[in-house]
Amino acid sequence: MASTPATASDSGEEGRAGLERVRAVLRSVVPPGPPPGPTRPEFWRSPLRGPWLTAVFGLLLLVGVTVLFVTGLLSYASYNPDLARVNDQTPDKGWLGFYLFSWPTAPYWLYRLTQGVHVVLGVVLVPVLLAKLWSVIPKLFEWPPVRSVSHGIERLSLLLLVGGAGFEFVTGILNVQLHYIFPGSFYVLHFYGAWVFIGAFVVHVASRLPRALCAVRPGPVQPSAGTEEAAGLVPPRPAPPTISRRGALGLVGLGSLALLVVTAGQSVGGWWRRTALLAPHGQDPGSGPNGFQINKTAASVGIRPSDIGPAWRLTVRASGRQVILTRGELLAMEQHEAALPIACVEGWSTPDQLWSGVRLTDLAALVGRGTDTPQTLVESVQRGGSFSSVVLRDNQVRDHRSLLAVRVNGAVLSPDHGYPARVIVPGAPGVHNTKWVTRVTFGEPA
Ligand SMILES: Nc1nc2c(c(=O)[nH]1)N[C@H]1C(S)=C(S)[C@@H](COP(=O)(O)O)O[C@H]1N2
Ligand SMILES: [Mo]
């Protein structure tokens, strides 16, 4: 049987009618309004929630996260990642390395300060971050979840913001507390995470800052629920208060203060280390000249007594020249002193220690090199491991305080601090102070 071909307008009308039927069915199955539970504004009862509290936490985080970001970028730059793959394994960082610069050697406590601030502040901000998330939690359950394309994009950016913040805080804290549970890849995760987070952060601040500044300006206290200013934060059916807003702020502040007290000691050092209950390396680094923080013991990285015994040699190389020294010959060279700290990426640092040993410039001179060497490769007897070698930059080698140290605080280096010889460079992150050094190669001028 032949059917009459439908005209274009017929099928269009049929389509519309079909869509209407689907909508009607949907309406009968899904009742209008949010489903019961957290998607209903009445579910959230705390009378503390409102633009003022959210704005105060938000502004604190604005300042704090900015400092974290800057000190984080500085930490990355301090590795001199553009020098060699030995220093930085981050793949394809490409233009994200745009701002890198030669890390200076002065002031000699520079990394101790920037990284101490980065880690201590990161820990101290945890209560503020949690409080901020708590204050906006009703918005997480906003109904309908997506109202329009622009609303959808905004919510996606919030996902990156909250997810990014959580990711950066968790990876950072795991790293300082659990001592590199991500072998080699922590930098990659924390580095890319930081850029995702900060991108979402900038978008968020740009859209919310005016509102936040308004909310903390003195004036009428709380907008009523449902108004534009309330911005979905003020509960329509608040429970009676059990604490004031300022009280809640004080509680968060106390939490941060408590964290400050139990972490800052590991960066301040000295007597204060005893207060650093959260310090992953413990509070007591021992006593005597070698009684200061040890990152990895000789045994923990597989250094055998024979590696650093009488058979140990130091090889100093430059193109076409090589000198091999025994420990006695190294000690016979001119010895110099420098008071420098060890400052680890994990945030802990030691007060200045008095190192003595041979200047890196004197080692360069041994193989006929001046201070024009752009790269110097330092290698330890350690087999493998990401900290077993480092590439130093010309400004670091040139500094007269940069030593291949053989003694510390008047005593011979202990095996755990790098006996027979370790590098110590002013201003550099701890990881560049290679222990158990066995070979130094002064590279070609660029
Ligand atoms: N060969 C070698 N050198 C190394 C390390 C290592 O694991 N192997 N750790 C580095 C790190 S991360 C730091 S913070 C310092 C710590 O030095 P310390 O243990 O003497 O305090 O040594 C650095 N030198
Ligand atoms: Mo370190």
Side-chain angles (χ1 to χ4, degrees), residues 14-312:
E14 248 167 53
R16 264 195 295 282
L19 208 64
E20 219 19 73
R21 269 199 298 279
V22 173
R23 286 217 182 103
V25 171
L26 270 181
R27 266 198 300 275
S28 68
V29 180
V30 185
T39 48
R40 302 225 160 136
E42 308 80 51
F43 179 88
W44 303 98
R45 309 277 321 262
S46 172
L48 298 183
R49 286 203 184 85
W52 184 81
L53 197 67
T54 294
V56 170
F57 291 139
L59 291 171
L60 284 172
L61 285 175
L62 170 59
V63 176
V65 167
T66 305
V67 175
L68 284 182
F69 185 60
V70 171
T71 50
L73 289 186
L74 289 177
S75 182
Y76 188 60
S78 77
Y79 276 66
N80 282 330
D82 51 329
L83 268 190
R85 264 195 83 73
V86 173
N87 291 10
D88 175 46
Q89 314 281 324
T90 312
D92 306 321
K93 64 179 171 292
W95 57 267
L96 286 184
F98 69 93
Y99 71 94
L100 294 174
F101 55 95
S102 305
W103 187 250
T105 56
Y108 71 89
W109 39 259
L110 184 60
Y111 192 71
R112 192 174 179 212
L113 177 74
T114 62
Q115 195 59 8
V117 167
H118 186 75
V119 171
V120 172
L121 184 61
V123 171
V124 163
L125 280 180
V126 168
V128 184
L129 180 73
L130 294 178
K132 170 74 163 53
L133 291 176
W134 174 85
S135 81
V136 295
I137 207 155
K139 299 185 64 128
L140 180 70
F141 294 95
E142 227 170 40
W143 200 266
V146 177
R147 265 186 264 118
S148 62
V149 176
S150 67
H151 183 239
I153 292 174
E154 199 215 311
R155 299 216 71 190
L156 196 69
S157 84
L158 289 179
L159 194 73
L160 294 181
L161 180 75
V162 176
F167 184 82
E168 286 303 277
F169 276 83
V170 167
T171 52
I173 287 167
L174 284 180
N175 184 59
V176 299
Q177 281 298 318
L178 299 176
H179 202 52
Y180 303 100
I181 58 161
F182 327 87
S185 65
F186 164 75
Y187 301 96
V188 184
L189 295 174
H190 207 63
F191 176 80
Y192 282 116
W195 283 106
V196 170
F197 170 50
I198 212 70
F201 185 75
V202 166
V203 169
H204 185 69
V205 170
S207 72
R208 296 299 205 284
L209 187 59
R211 199 192 285 173
L213 289 175
C214 251
V216 291
R217 208 170 287 152
V221 206
Q222 180 89 348
S224 46
T227 61
E228 178 70 13
E229 307 93 284
L233 295 172
V234 178
R237 213 158 46 82
T242 49
I243 184 176
S244 73
R245 277 203 185 88
R246 276 168 209 285
L249 200 60
L251 266 183
V252 172
L254 268 181
S256 287
L257 190 69
L259 285 172
L260 178 71
V261 168
V262 295
T263 43
Q266 65 166 343
S267 312
V268 177
W271 184 87
W272 290 102
R273 181 169 296 281
R274 283 181 239 174
T275 65
L277 302 177
L278 280 190
H281 293 265
Q283 288 90 255
D284 183 14
S287 58
N290 277 280
F292 58 97
Q293 191 67 71
I294 291 164
N295 175 283
K296 298 230 172 102
T297 62
S300 76
V301 293
I303 306 288
R304 304 188 201 117
S306 58
D307 293 331
I308 54 175
W312 175 87

Side-chain angles (χ1 to χ4, degrees), residues 293-295 344 380 382 387 417 422 430-431 433-436:
Q293 191 67 71
I294 291 164
N295 175 283
C344 183
S380 72
Q382 190 183 335
F387 313 141
H417 280 306
R422 78 170 305 164
V431 65
N433 296 320
T434 308
K435 307 195 270 193
W436 315 294

